[in-house]
Amino acid sequence: MNRISTLLLTLFAIFPALAAELTLVKDGKPTSCIVLPDDAEPVLTFAAQELSLFLGKISAGEKPLIVSVPAKGLVPIVLALCKDKKLQEDGFKITACEKELRIEGKTSNGVLYGSYEILKKYGGIRWLFPGEEGEYFTVCPTISLPIGTILKNPDFTYRDICKVNMHWNSPVWETWDWAVRNNMRFTSSSGHPCFKTGLAKYGPISEIGGHCFSPLLNSVGLTDENGTRLSGAALKDHVEKLFAEHPDYYPLINGKRVITFHGGAEPQPCTTNPDVIHIVAQNVLKFYEQSRPPVMLVFGNNDCTKWCQCEKCLAIDPEEEKAAGHISTRYWTFANAVAAEVFQAKPDLKFNGWTYQNFSEPPKGVKPSRHIGLVMISNHRRCWKHALDDKNCPTNQWYYQYQKNWNDYDVPLYTYEMLSRAGRHFIPVEKNWVDTLRFYKRNFPNFTGMKTEMSCPDGTYTPPDDGYFVLNNWRMMWQAMYLGITFQWDVNADYEKVYEEINSLYYGKGWAGGICDFRALLTKLYMDAPGCWGYGHSTPVGKFLEVPGAKEKLCEYLNAAEKAAMADPDPRALAHVKLEQEFFEKTWVAAYDDYVSNYREVKIYPLLEKIKIDGKLDELDWKNAETTTRFRLAFGQNPIRHQTGLKLAYDADNLYVGFECLESRPKELKTTVKQHDGPIWEDNDVELFINDPLMGGNYIQLLVNASGVVCDGTVTAGEAGRGMTRDAETLAEVKTSFAADRYFVEMRIPAHSITGTRFSPGLVLKINALRCRRIGDEQKEKKDETEMSTICGGTPHGVDSFIPVIFATPRKVAPGSRQEVDT
């Protein structure tokens, strides 16, 4: 080969773009036009508008024209659907030749995502956070792309966010823009009023259902034969008439048919009644007809663990499920029956089942039918600190097996992940989220994606759901939101590269100036702390700063970042660094200060006399006992309205426990459960959690409603919220009593049932105490009256957060010499 040929090949290798490139904008002037039919559907029209807008914006020049016929002298950018067999739903194909650019998709959303790919890959734009504040690009007067073809399908087909704490019909235009610009295919309520004002342009999936068993039976939101919309008084009249004529449609509970109105804390209808199946299926079809396609039904139970106890319903439960307290076969039998009737009429409806509450486990007596398009895995108890397959994490040991069991059922799955709580505590979960997605892709081939819940920054909120931590929910975990959605589209993207890029944009000079080190140490402290972190079983956030010098080092990094960001020409950099400081102070630092000032070890004293279990707490030993109070709300930051006091005492053979619960409406407390080991958690109740260090992460849990009915047993480490191993007989002797402004719960628990032996001074146990205040009855649960509080930082489960209880030697107290402040 001669030297000239070698030189030419070298030049082509170094500068391939010189050989084959298609220019869309040159020196701020469009060299292209976007071709779109006049009757194009909303999503394609929006794709053309976005492409035109941002080509002009990035080049700081004119926007390319949107035309129905190619303009002479301009490169046509054609947006169209195609039937390429390599394309999957939402995938796109970009074909660039010398005279034309084609952006194609199997669906209109695929074309939309392909348009954004041009802008991101060749225009360099990023949308890190909803709104113009989160939009980042460097002006590029000339925008070109190489000749050739790019074809990309999403790695996960289900990519969605559930909006929480906000009005269901609240518009969130900035969040919706952010979502589709980052290739998310979200769902929206089929009745959302914004469908009339532009929501359709995003191509959302119209979602119907939710907690919907009773609503579908009762035709909630539909019209009756007279054209009256069934809501409010009209719904009440309709349901009462239906119940009077067909009580067998409704659940049999404790030998009596019970009327149910809504999908909240009410028992399920009689799911084996063929008329119920038919009515529910027909009402699904009515909602389908009112919805904009594509339509997805999320077929969820009423938000209650009670199911019909009629003979026919009970006969469906396999013996193995009865012994475990599971209803899985019952749920899937009902779902299959409804799906079969719906599918016959509308085979294009996406029918989603779910796993939840007492039907989380795969059913033993039936499998989800082929008509069930997806199954939502919605058991929220996983640990977000450890890897999903971490064999040293008891929570994820169970969760991994649970996920694997469902994957092995060979049905399409997606998960519902409750990450909003991590945001409110400023927890760095972004790497764990991406690692989880990669784990799903690698190990669970039937997992199709993830639904994440989050409070949108542009949503409409009202008290009590409008507090600081809700309104800043998204911003406090913006990295996780961006990375989670990005890696659902391309799970094999370079994490370190993307992480470095987005943070360098968001914090500007503040990133290398200190935020990079701050986030690294924040993550290390979180990951290295003992225990798990997740929904309802978290290590207290305050413990993360127990490492000597950690708080000071983090503040040092933040101060350095602020100084560096001051020199950044983009004012957003300094603003974002200051927000990082603010979030750190309001979460980690506040939690640490609270933890240090409130950390207690409780001393428990042996009896001087005898205690009679009568629910009155009036003996000398109760006056001698320390009172542990300052209960705090679980899962929330709002102030508590009804405080509780806890007292403990012991003798060699028994633990004595007394709850004193302030109560403004004691006669209205919800106490519907009458049988031992029933679902006490649905009533007004108090709960005691006891851990002996010899039990490892396992613990005893006792639940007592205000009538003195008990549910008790042992919970295995990592299985909080999924039931317990129960004894046939009641573990504790319990009595309750009432006063005008409070009520009392008194219990005696045998020592051998906790430690297997007698109590003696020097023993240390760990405890938590919880109170769930509920006012109402089966017909009307008053949500605003519900208040759940604990003595352990607001967290119900999680042994790491329990308070140490030290069994002390006798304290000699002369009668009347000790003054105790009454709670």
Side-chain angles (χ1 to χ4, degrees), residues 226-300:
N226 301 317
T228 303
R229 188 174 184 275
L230 294 174
S231 62
L235 173 65
K236 185 174 184 294
D237 292 343
H238 170 77
V239 176
E240 288 175 349
K241 182 173 181 289
L242 189 64
F243 180 73
E245 294 173 354
H246 298 284
D248 54 313
Y249 291 178
Y250 294 86
L252 184 72
I253 303 295
N254 298 330
K256 181 182 178 181
R257 293 286 174 178
V258 176
I259 191 170
T260 60
F261 288 89
H262 53 73
E266 295 191 336
Q268 318 307 320
C270 182
T271 57
T272 57
N273 188 308
D275 290 340
V276 171
I277 294 168
H278 177 67
I279 293 169
V280 167
Q282 290 304 306
N283 282 337
V284 168
L285 294 172
K286 288 178 183 177
F287 277 110
Y288 174 93
E289 295 296 340
Q290 296 176 5
S291 305
R292 180 189 180 278
V295 183
M296 180 177 74
L297 168 70
V298 178
F299 195 62

Side-chain angles (χ1 to χ4, degrees), residues 696-736:
N698 300 347
Y699 54 92
I700 295 165
Q701 183 178 1
L702 296 96
L703 306 89
V704 183
N705 69 11
S707 294
V709 183
V710 179
C711 174
D712 52 13
T714 301
V715 181
T716 303
E719 297 195 13
R722 289 182 291 273
M724 59 178 72
T725 303
R726 301 173 185 172
D727 297 323
E729 297 181 359
T730 303
L731 182 66
E733 180 184 358
V734 176
K735 292 291 183 182
T736 61

Side-chain angles (χ1 to χ4, degrees), residues 569-591:
D570 188 340
R572 292 177 295 182
L574 180 58
H576 293 158
V577 169
K578 287 186 174 181
L579 279 172
E580 199 84 353
Q581 294 171 323
E582 182 179 309
F583 296 152
F584 177 60
E585 288 290 335
K586 285 184 176 292
T587 56
W588 284 49
V589 174

